[in-house]
Amino acid sequence: MRNSLLVKCLCFAAFLLLFNAYSINAQQVPTDIYQNAYKISPEKQNHYKAIEAKYAAFGGGNETNVAPTGIDYDVKYYRLELRINPDSLSGATLVGKYIKGKITTYFTTKAPNFTVVNFDFGTPLICDSVYYHGAKLAIGKIVRPTDLLQLTIPNIAVSGTLDSISVYYKGVPQPEPLFGSGYVFAKHNGNANNYIYTLSEPYSAFTWWPCKSYISNDKADSVDMIVSTPTGFKAAGNGTLVSATTSGGSITTYWKERYPISSYQICTAVANYVQYPSPADTVIIGGVKMPHFNYIFPETNTAAAHTALDRDTISLRIFSGLYGDYPFKNEKYGNCTFGFGGGMEHNTFSGENAGVYSTAGSWDVLAHELAHQWWGDNVTCGSWHDIWVNESFADFSEAIILEFAPPSFAASVGTTDSAWRSAKKIATIGASAQATYVTDTSNISTIFSPSVYIYDRGGLIISMMRMTMGDTKFFQALKNYQADPLLKYGNGLTNDVKRHMENASGLDFTTFFNNWMYNTGYATYNPATVAGAVSQWNNQGKDIVLKLVQKTKNSGITHFDMPVVVRIKGSLANQDTTVVIYDSGGFLFYDINGVLAATGGNLVNFHLSFVPTTIVFDSKHQTIGTGLFSKNTLLPVSVLATNILSFNSNKEGNTAKLMWNIDNALDYVSFEVERSTNGTFFESIGTIRAIDNPNKYNFIFFDNNLLTGTGFYRIKIIQKNGGAIYSRTISILNKSDNYYTITPNPATDHILIKNENLTSITADITLYDATGRVVIQIGGQSFSNNGSVKVDVRKLGVGDYFIKIASPGTKNYTKQIVIAH
């Protein structure tokens, strides 16, 4: 969910609306709804027990602070059959908020001798009747405590029994009192048109239909939603649009959701929508052609809105590459206009206010809600205390889009990822009274407001994990989290995020999470802000020393473990490097043999390839820390003389042989080998412990995964005195037998294929779409050494493609490219 403003509370009147009742038959569930519903591993069962135990420990985490409804049964399937008419009248009085329907629930019992089915169900709604096994339940078996529906059925002796029950109901749903969410009647187009929309997060699903509303970790395996409306309206819903059938003056729309879904993510909206684009776009995700379309108001069907909404196709590919394939690729993705001031991440069909895409520059809420399809819909927070798992990652993803999209994307929206994070950081620093982890989940306001703590602050906490781990390990952790069989299409807790960060990095994030997730405040290295905070530097030629002393502000703790991101620049434009140091407990730590080991002290030394002139703290606003470096000419510099370290390399086949020598291993703790694809951001690929070889002077390290193209290497020498020295950076060019670079990717109107082979070559160029169909073929193309060929792709549709370059006597070169007009 993305909040922009509070929805005004709506006044309403309750009147009856007659419509053709659905036939009463014994429950027959569609044959295709189950997805291994009964094949849950013991590990996943234990995971769900941990989530339920957490819920129970906090009294269910709901507004009335009672035990969660339905904890003794597991929902397998919901079928919602609804009649909705925003224009309905009773005499001359508008009663458009009225709803009438039948809800069929399939469930399995989780305890023996099961006799009562409990649903959350708003008191203002009327239960007409209940049918169980085709027979009407006696009135005495139906009890209505406040906002509950208790149905007594014959005893089910065996735990794990599949059963079903149908509830017929009607009435005028009462909105959630703080945000006015739930089932909402509204107007648009200058109040000329009526419409209905739902927004059920976190607790409001029960206000408009009987369900398990207060517990997020019982996802239905499948849902059918069948909505009857007057002609002239479209009904939105989750999943795949199966049919829209007109009979008389009504149209019945059938939506089929075949992925697990929480009750709060089940949605509908009924308005005089138009579909854009029509017919739907096709986005190729993991080889699957998926429809992408939006339901929007006619008056908002503008060129500017089209520009904003079309960016989803770019964002879908970016997120699929970083987080794993879009989780609901066999169904659809799109947006549906509703009245809430921000957005809501309903599975496969996010809801947004029309203002979200009112201009061509609109992008952030759309990107945020799309990111929720991974962070919130695929893996949903296991309790509302862990809402940051949904919202912080969606907030973090906004900057990710700006960072990874083609430059034209950022240019068209008028900002950059660095500028976007800067605004988030300013908001975070200015609001330090609350932790990101939510302790009070008593109502929607305490969960989501003030939003700065779980959105802005939480997004920057994730950014700090990224800076600590490096991109390769960080994004692998995110993919692993999304694909984890304990979590996928299920629920995750804070500890599940921590577990995956630790597994991918080999680091211990316990102190980091304790510091940032459960505490307030921020860190500063700026002596002008807090006395005792220090960030200083000095240099002697190309050798540089940094001194870092942290203080905390607005926090109950005295130190934050965190990455310190330092940008060092020289006098020339290409003299620019960024270093990440991990500060823990006032000491600077480094990754040695897979664990964090202290080098002692608060000084760190580097040997650069240029003379430093400028030091900038967190130049791209990637941490919740402030600092301002001042030069201290009295700060001692550990000079790296040429006789202390030499560093060279040889290329042996597809292996890089790295060699360095020193004068005395007794001065050092270890040598950490770092590799980079661009010469700026390095990651560790191995460590040799000097203390295990105190009499050794010559060291060799083999990188058996030599990068194709140019790879950069350097050695980080961890000293016993608390400092660290960097060697010069060297590069190795690895040209394979058949190697090309293809730019730009994503492409808009053309691609440029550059021959990186050592000699001139003749090759056949073939482009395939995601189905394997040949779309472009160029035979016998001549490439000179370092020569380029331009290929026009303007006639190709937006999507994923594969290019194959075949040359006699060499292996075929294949690469995936993206066309994004």
Side-chain angles (χ1 to χ4, degrees), residues 554-575:
N554 304 323
S555 179
I557 63 175
T558 58
H559 189 275
F560 285 103
D561 279 19
M562 65 177 294
V564 179
V565 183
V566 181
R567 187 175 183 181
I568 307 172
K569 302 175 71 174
S571 58
L572 301 179
N574 63 347
Q575 295 175 339

Side-chain angles (χ1 to χ4, degrees), residues 667-716:
D667 293 335
Y668 310 125
V669 175
S670 66
F671 305 97
E672 192 167 332
V673 183
E674 297 187 338
R675 182 177 65 190
S676 171
T677 59
N678 56 19
T680 299
F681 190 89
F682 285 80
E683 64 173 347
S684 174
I685 61 172
T687 299
I688 295 177
R689 290 170 59 88
I691 57 177
D692 292 338
N693 305 279
N695 297 316
K696 222 175 155 182
Y697 299 90
N698 300 302
F699 293 85
I700 298 176
F701 181 91
F702 292 95
D703 179 10
N704 297 315
N705 296 307
L706 185 59
L707 300 173
T708 300
T710 301
F712 300 87
Y713 296 89
R714 69 185 183 189
I715 306 296
K716 180 165 72 173

Side-chain angles (χ1 to χ4, degrees), residues 409-428:
F409 186 108
S412 69
V413 301
T415 189
T416 65
D417 61 302
S418 180
W420 195 250
R421 281 191 301 268
S422 176
K424 304 283 186 179
K425 182 169 180 175
I426 291 170
T428 298

Side-chain angles (χ1 to χ4, degrees), residues 619-698:
S619 65
K620 294 186 177 181
H621 316 290
Q622 294 164 303
T623 72
I624 312 178
T626 62
L628 181 64
F629 280 98
S630 61
K631 187 165 185 178
N632 178 1
T633 58
L634 299 180
L635 195 64
V637 181
S638 178
V639 178
L640 179 59
T642 55
N643 63 334
I644 293 180
L645 175 67
S646 65
F647 179 37
N648 297 286
S649 66
N650 288 331
K651 178 178 176 294
E652 298 180 354
N654 285 321
T655 297
K657 182 181 180 181
L658 309 175
M659 301 161 287
W660 64 97
N661 55 64
I662 60 172
D663 65 342
N664 185 0
L666 293 173
D667 293 335
Y668 310 125
V669 175
S670 66
F671 305 97
E672 192 167 332
V673 183
E674 297 187 338
R675 182 177 65 190
S676 171
T677 59
N678 56 19
T680 299
F681 190 89
F682 285 80
E683 64 173 347
S684 174
I685 61 172
T687 299
I688 295 177
R689 290 170 59 88
I691 57 177
D692 292 338
N693 305 279
N695 297 316
K696 222 175 155 182
Y697 299 90
N698 300 302

Side-chain angles (χ1 to χ4, degrees), residues 702-745:
F702 292 95
D703 179 10
N704 297 315
N705 296 307
L706 185 59
L707 300 173
T708 300
T710 301
F712 300 87
Y713 296 89
R714 69 185 183 189
I715 306 296
K716 180 165 72 173
I717 309 157
I718 310 301
Q719 298 175 303
K720 288 185 177 180
N721 66 0
I725 300 171
Y726 276 85
S727 73
R728 67 188 182 96
T729 298
I730 61 175
S731 63
I732 297 179
L733 179 61
N734 181 28
K735 291 187 176 181
S736 66
D737 291 338
N738 196 13
Y739 175 57
Y740 304 84
T741 55
I742 300 175
T743 56
N745 190 12

Side-chain angles (χ1 to χ4, degrees), residues 85-127:
N85 180 6
D87 290 341
S88 60
L89 299 173
S90 177
T93 305
L94 179 69
V95 289
K97 198 177 178 185
Y98 186 83
I99 189 172
K100 188 170 185 177
K102 168 189 173 185
I103 309 298
T104 300
T105 304
Y106 278 71
F107 60 91
T108 55
T109 59
K110 296 172 69 175
N113 299 315
F114 182 92
T115 58
V116 178
V117 183
N118 286 295
F119 291 117
D120 299 307
F121 189 48
T123 296
L125 298 174
I126 299 168
C127 176

Side-chain angles (χ1 to χ4, degrees), residues 208-381:
W208 61 280
W209 64 290
C211 60
K212 288 174 68 171
S213 178
Y214 284 130
I215 190 164
S216 65
N217 65 284
D218 186 9
K219 292 188 175 184
D221 297 309
S222 186
V223 172
D224 284 314
M225 179 174 286
I226 303 162
V227 183
S228 172
T229 69
T231 55
F233 289 101
K234 285 185 184 292
N238 309 98
T240 301
L241 179 59
V242 177
S243 61
T245 306
T246 301
S247 178
S250 294
I251 182 169
T252 300
T253 305
Y254 173 21
W255 291 96
K256 179 174 70 173
E257 170 67 276
R258 291 300 177 261
Y259 289 98
I261 184 170
S262 298
S263 60
Y264 81 85
Q265 292 161 334
I266 294 172
C267 73
T268 191
V270 174
N272 63 328
Y273 291 122
V274 295
Q275 179 180 312
Y276 171 77
S278 182
D281 277 340
T282 297
V283 183
I284 300 173
I285 305 293
V288 175
K289 291 184 176 181
M290 182 189 75
H292 168 256
F293 58 89
N294 310 279
Y295 280 4
I296 60 179
F297 296 148
E299 68 271 21
T300 65
N301 190 24
T302 65
H306 298 171
T307 297
L309 292 165
D310 286 349
R311 291 193 183 98
D312 272 348
T313 59
I314 297 173
S315 301
L316 274 163
R317 286 190 290 268
I318 291 171
F319 289 150
S320 291
L322 296 175
Y323 303 152
D325 282 356
Y326 171 66
F328 311 106
K329 64 183 180 182
N330 292 318
E331 293 184 344
K332 73 167 185 305
Y333 184 69
N335 303 279
C336 171
T337 307
F338 69 176
F340 183 66
M344 177 61 206
E345 64 275 13
H346 304 123
N347 286 33
T348 74
F349 222 4
S350 295
E352 287 97 8
N353 186 276
V356 163
Y357 55 86
S358 59
T359 68
S362 302
W363 68 277
D364 54 317
V365 177
L366 292 168
H368 182 101
E369 303 309 331
L370 173 56
H372 269 310
Q373 301 296 310
W374 288 262
W375 306 98
D377 293 358
N378 176 34
V379 185
T380 308
C381 60

